[in-house]
Amino acid sequence: MREYNVIFKLCGSGSAGWSDACSAVIIDETSMKQEDTSHGPDLVGFNWRLPSLPIKTGGNGVCFDTQHGLVSCGGYKSASVYALPFDGDAYRQQNYDWHWQPLPDMSETRWFPSCTFVEHNKLVAMCGSSLDHEPLSTMECFDFETQTWSNLSACHKSRKYGGLYYANTTKKLYLGGGDHATQSVEVYDFERDVWHDLPSTQLPHRYYPNLWQNAQHPQLLYISCSYSNSVECIDLRCHDSVWSVVCGANVFKTDTLNLDYNQFRSVL
């Protein structure tokens, strides 16, 4: 049994302006874990060209779900939402019928929004920049069964580039960092439709930080991004708990990759 990871790249800007190009990199984790390399290196990754997005844009939010596929939310001066299914004959045959399908627009423009799937039938999109380039705090939820958006309570601090993580075990939504709120972390209670502030992080996490929980110890919440180049952790059981740096600088070798660390976004 081989293990694979997929990294998606959608749109963006270049010398010709905004792009509609979509692609993915398939990484063979099994080959990377092999200790015996006497027969020579195996292929560990390859590029996969995906159907182009119907619009040229950049700064669109992206998330993936096994049932609904790849979803693009917003972008430059855009409230558009599109889904690329990864099931059905068109996908399996990789023919011209495999293409992005439009979903109902969000209630407002969101540039560099935060988005994630909640369970399998709902999608949350929030924050980002408005049509006037002002940071947003609003949040809305799309129901795939009714094909409608509904407004939820806004978070406390407006931001773009915020990291968003849904914890299946506790049914809580965690929002962390982002421009204009680099050390802010908030948690959302779906049952009560309210946000609560968590303690501020020690370091700034500005560009789409990753948030995750320890599988063996789900009470531990982690945050990390290339801007801070560090990992922080907090124990959610303690009311007076604070964030602590558990992994110092040089988590990401941005110099080696020759990337602007401010814009380097990693997926863990």
Side-chain angles (χ1 to χ4, degrees):
M1 179 71 69
R2 305 190 76 85
E3 298 178 15
Y4 297 92
N5 273 335
V6 182
I7 300 174
F8 296 105
K9 183 181 186 303
L10 272 64
C11 306
S13 60
S15 58
W18 297 116
S19 170
D20 59 1
C22 303
S23 61
V25 176
I26 313 298
I27 302 173
D28 188 342
E29 295 285 346
T30 308
S31 295
M32 296 178 69
K33 294 176 182 178
Q34 287 180 351
E35 297 182 0
D36 180 13
T37 58
S38 58
H39 61 285
D42 287 340
L43 177 68
V44 297
F46 59 91
N47 292 319
W48 182 16
R49 184 175 180 180
L50 302 175
S52 297
L53 201 70
I55 60 173
K56 292 185 177 182
T57 190
N60 44 326
V62 180
C63 54
F64 180 83
D65 175 75
T66 54
Q67 180 177 349
H68 300 289
L70 190 62
V71 172
S72 168
C73 296
Y76 181 66
K77 295 185 177 181
S78 174
S80 300
V81 183
Y82 297 94
L84 182 66
F86 279 70
D87 59 5
D89 293 337
Y91 161 68
R92 285 186 284 269
Q93 297 172 12
Q94 300 286 287
N95 60 33
Y96 288 106
D97 291 329
W98 187 42
H99 54 78
W100 291 87
Q101 300 173 358
L103 296 177
D105 286 358
M106 295 179 290
S107 63
E108 59 186 321
T109 293
R110 297 188 188 277
W111 192 23
F112 297 111
S114 306
C115 57
T116 188
F117 279 96
V118 180
E119 302 303 330
H120 287 295
N121 286 317
K122 293 184 179 180
L123 168 72
V124 166
M126 63 180 302
C127 297
S129 286
S130 70
L131 197 61
D132 298 322
H133 305 289
E134 294 296 326
L136 298 168
S137 62
T138 53
M139 176 170 66
E140 49 193 313
C141 183
F142 181 72
D143 190 319
F144 282 88
E145 293 184 357
T146 62
Q147 292 288 293
T148 56
W149 287 94
S150 57
N151 292 323
L152 302 177
S153 292
C155 65
H156 296 161
K157 291 190 177 180
S158 303
R159 70 192 78 198
K160 59 181 178 179
Y161 306 117
L164 198 58
Y165 164 68
Y166 177 69
N168 287 296
T169 54
T170 60
K171 313 300 182 186
K172 298 290 180 64
L173 187 69
Y174 294 91
L175 172 68
D179 200 14
H180 304 282
T182 57
Q183 293 176 263
S184 165
V185 181
E186 302 181 35
V187 56
Y188 176 74
D189 186 327
F190 276 93
E191 291 185 358
R192 300 174 58 195
D193 188 29
V194 293
W195 285 92
H196 299 284
D197 290 319
L198 291 179
S200 298
T201 57
Q202 299 288 330
L203 301 170
H205 299 273
R206 190 173 185 180
Y207 293 104
Y208 284 119
N210 293 291
L211 292 100
W212 72 98
Q213 288 177 301
N214 188 310
Q216 286 73 38
H217 305 284
Q219 73 275 10
L220 299 179
L221 178 68
Y222 295 84
I223 186 171
S224 176
C225 81
S226 59
Y227 186 82
S228 66
N229 214 1
S230 301
V231 179
E232 295 189 58
C233 176
I234 191 172
D235 191 333
L236 299 173
R237 296 172 300 180
C238 307
H239 294 293
D240 58 350
S241 183
V242 296
W243 290 91
S244 58
V245 178
V246 295
C247 185
N250 300 320
V251 174
F252 305 103
K253 296 180 179 180
T254 51
D255 293 337
T256 304
L257 294 170
N258 194 27
L259 293 168
D260 177 356
Y261 73 95
N262 284 352
Q263 295 294 338
F264 177 46
R265 303 168 196 164
S266 169
V267 177
L268 298 179

